[in-house]
């Protein structure tokens, strides 16, 4: 008996980057657009050719590449990539096949795969984001996040080599991290269109890597305070909180390092060290981040 699939138009599905995506109405056009982005081996419709509807966008920036996809029922096969991938589910439902393993990709979930061949099957239409990333940079950011000595798990245990479905049992911060990752995608896409220098200025690549690191290596959250939150009472400096409150209340005003020094008991050097220790960036970089976040919120 011939199997039938529910017909979904791309317009019916939600995606954080949807306003930036380009829609196609023929399978051949979609194959052409996706060929290089995902090292495409095969793309086929699982419904009638007349029902084909697909939107996608490619956002290569710095060491990351984002591929956003919204489509009616389809099957996509990739020859693989040298880098690991994170697949994020936003709407609809898909299944990922990697070797002998099969993963469900539902809204609010993610799958991490090594850089090898895979297939993505969407029988009811789906909305996904595929992120190809540098594993060495991911480990570097993970080490920078950990307040004490931390090392990644051995290669034979690492999700970067074995694959992982998230959130998983025992990963208390998984849902929150996936939500944060979905929130940063629109900013990454919008600013990325302006050029890599803007992404570097706003530290968006760093933020995305840190969220990915916390997802891939749960021990960063399970054993230590989440980066960007106050540490224990012995090391937590209330002076920095006063500076942060002052900045947030005056984001619409000219702010310089001299102004921040005047508003605190820090020296220039101590203030810079405090921000570097807490956020991994300089005071002025942090201010630019907050202004960007405020602008996105207002939009």
């Amino acid at each position: 008996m011939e199997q039938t699939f529910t017909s979904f138009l791309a317009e019916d599905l939600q995606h954080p980057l949807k306003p930036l995506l380009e829609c196609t109405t023929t399978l051949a056009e979609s194959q052409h657009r996706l060929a290089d982005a995902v090292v495409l081996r095969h793309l086929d419709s699982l419904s009638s050719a007349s029902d084909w509807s697909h939107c996608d966008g490619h956002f290569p920036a710095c060491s990351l590449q984002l591929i956003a996809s919204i489509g009616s029922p389809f099957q996509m096969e990739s020859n693989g990539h040298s880098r690991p991938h994170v697949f994020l589910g936003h709407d609809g439902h898909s299944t990922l096949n990697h070797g002998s393993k099969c993963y469900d990709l539902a809204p609010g979930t993610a799958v991490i795969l090594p850089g090898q061949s895979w297939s993505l099957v969407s029988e009811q239409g789906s909305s996904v984001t595929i992120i190809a990333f540098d594993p060495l940079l991911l480990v570097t950011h993970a080490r920078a996040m950990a307040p004490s000595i931390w090392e990644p798990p051995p290669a034979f245990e690492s999700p970067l080599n074995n694959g992982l479905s998230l959130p998983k049992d025992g990963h208390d911060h998984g849902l929150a991290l996936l939500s944060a990752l979905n929130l940063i995608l629109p900013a990454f896409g919008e600013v990325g269109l302006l050029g890599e220098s803007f992404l570097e200025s706003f530290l968006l690549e760093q933020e995305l890597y840190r969220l990915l690191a916390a997802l891939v290596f749960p021990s960063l959250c399970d054993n230590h305070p989440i980066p960007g939150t106050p540490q224990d009472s012995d090391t937590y400096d209330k002076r920095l909180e006063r500076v942060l409150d002052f900045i947030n209340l005056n984001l619409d005003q000219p702010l310089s390092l001299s102004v921040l020094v005047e508003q605190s008991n820090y020296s220039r050097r101590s203030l810079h060290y405090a921000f570097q220790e807490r956020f991994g960036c300089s005071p002025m970089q942090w201010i630019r981040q907050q202004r960007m976040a405020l602008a996105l919120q207002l939009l």
Side-chain angles (χ1 to χ4, degrees), residues 85 98 101 103 111-114 157-166 168:
H85 288 61
H98 176 255
K101 296 180 180 179
Y103 302 90
V111 175
I112 300 167
L113 293 184
E157 295 179 359
S158 175
L160 299 180
N161 295 325
N162 299 296
L164 177 67
S165 183
L166 294 167
K168 67 174 185 176

Coordinates of all heavy atoms in Angstrom, one line a residue, residues 85 98 101 103 111-114 157-166 168:
H85 N 28.2 18.5 13.6 CA 27.0 19.3 13.4 C 26.1 19.3 14.6 O 26.0 18.3 15.3 CB 26.2 18.8 12.2 CG 26.9 19.0 10.9 ND1 28.1 18.5 10.5 CD2 26.4 19.7 9.8 CE1 28.4 18.9 9.3 NE2 27.4 19.6 8.8
H98 N 22.1 8.2 11.3 CA 23.6 8.4 11.3 C 24.2 7.0 11.6 O 24.1 6.5 12.7 CB 24.0 9.4 12.3 CG 25.5 9.6 12.5 ND1 26.2 9.0 13.5 CD2 26.4 10.2 11.6 CE1 27.5 9.3 13.3 NE2 27.6 10.0 12.2
K101 N 22.4 4.4 13.9 CA 21.6 5.1 14.9 C 20.5 6.0 14.3 O 20.7 6.6 13.2 CB 22.5 6.0 15.8 CG 23.5 5.2 16.6 CD 24.4 6.1 17.5 CE 25.4 5.3 18.3 NZ 26.2 6.2 19.1
Y103 N 17.8 9.2 15.4 CA 17.4 10.2 16.4 C 16.1 10.9 16.0 O 16.0 11.3 14.8 CB 18.5 11.2 16.5 CG 19.9 10.7 16.9 CD1 20.8 10.3 15.9 CD2 20.3 10.6 18.2 CE1 22.0 9.8 16.2 CE2 21.5 10.1 18.5 CZ 22.4 9.7 17.5 OH 23.7 9.3 17.8
V111 N 20.2 17.5 18.2 CA 21.1 16.3 18.0 C 22.5 16.7 17.6 O 22.6 17.6 16.7 CB 20.5 15.3 17.0 CG1 21.4 14.2 16.7 CG2 19.1 14.8 17.4
I112 N 23.5 16.2 18.2 CA 24.9 16.5 17.9 C 25.4 15.2 17.2 O 25.3 14.1 17.7 CB 25.7 16.8 19.1 CG1 25.1 18.0 19.9 CG2 27.2 17.0 18.8 CD1 25.7 18.1 21.3
L113 N 26.0 15.5 16.0 CA 26.5 14.4 15.2 C 28.0 14.7 14.8 O 28.3 15.8 14.6 CB 25.7 14.2 13.9 CG 24.3 13.7 14.0 CD1 23.7 13.4 12.6 CD2 24.2 12.4 14.8
P114 N 28.8 13.6 14.7 CA 30.2 13.8 14.2 C 30.1 14.2 12.8 O 29.1 14.1 12.1 CB 30.8 12.5 14.4 CG 29.9 11.7 15.3 CD 28.6 12.3 15.2
E157 N 34.5 8.6 24.6 CA 33.2 9.0 25.4 C 32.6 10.3 24.9 O 31.5 10.6 25.2 CB 33.5 9.1 26.9 CG 34.0 7.9 27.6 CD 34.3 8.1 29.0 OE1 34.1 9.2 29.5 OE2 34.6 7.1 29.7
S158 N 33.3 11.0 24.1 CA 32.9 12.4 23.7 C 31.7 12.3 22.7 O 31.7 11.6 21.8 CB 34.1 13.1 23.0 OG 33.6 14.4 22.5
P159 N 30.7 13.2 23.0 CA 29.6 13.4 22.1 C 30.0 13.8 20.7 O 29.3 13.5 19.7 CB 28.7 14.4 22.7 CG 29.1 14.4 24.2 CD 30.6 14.1 24.2
L160 N 31.2 14.5 20.6 CA 31.7 14.9 19.3 C 32.1 13.8 18.4 O 32.2 13.9 17.2 CB 32.9 15.9 19.5 CG 32.6 17.1 20.3 CD1 33.9 18.0 20.5 CD2 31.5 18.0 19.7
N161 N 32.3 12.6 19.0 CA 32.7 11.4 18.2 C 31.6 10.4 18.2 O 31.6 9.5 17.3 CB 33.9 10.8 18.8 CG 35.2 11.7 18.8 OD1 35.3 12.4 17.8 ND2 36.0 11.6 19.8
N162 N 30.6 10.5 19.1 CA 29.6 9.4 19.2 C 28.2 9.9 18.9 O 27.3 9.0 18.7 CB 29.7 8.8 20.6 CG 31.0 8.2 20.9 OD1 31.4 7.2 20.2 ND2 31.7 8.7 21.8
G163 N 27.9 11.2 18.9 CA 26.6 11.6 18.7 C 25.8 11.7 20.0 O 26.2 11.1 21.0
L164 N 24.8 12.6 20.1 CA 24.1 12.8 21.3 C 22.8 13.5 21.0 O 22.7 14.4 20.2 CB 24.9 13.7 22.3 CG 24.3 14.2 23.6 CD1 24.1 12.9 24.5 CD2 25.1 15.2 24.3
S165 N 21.7 13.0 21.7 CA 20.4 13.6 21.6 C 20.1 14.5 22.8 O 20.3 14.0 23.9 CB 19.3 12.5 21.4 OG 18.0 13.1 21.2
L166 N 19.6 15.7 22.6 CA 19.4 16.6 23.8 C 18.0 17.2 23.7 O 17.4 17.3 22.7 CB 20.4 17.8 23.7 CG 21.9 17.4 23.8 CD1 22.8 18.6 23.4 CD2 22.2 17.0 25.3
K168 N 18.9 15.5 27.4 CA 18.8 14.1 27.9 C 18.6 14.1 29.4 O 18.8 15.1 30.1 CB 20.2 13.4 27.6 CG 21.4 13.9 28.3 CD 22.6 13.0 28.0 CE 23.8 13.5 28.9 NZ 24.9 12.6 28.7

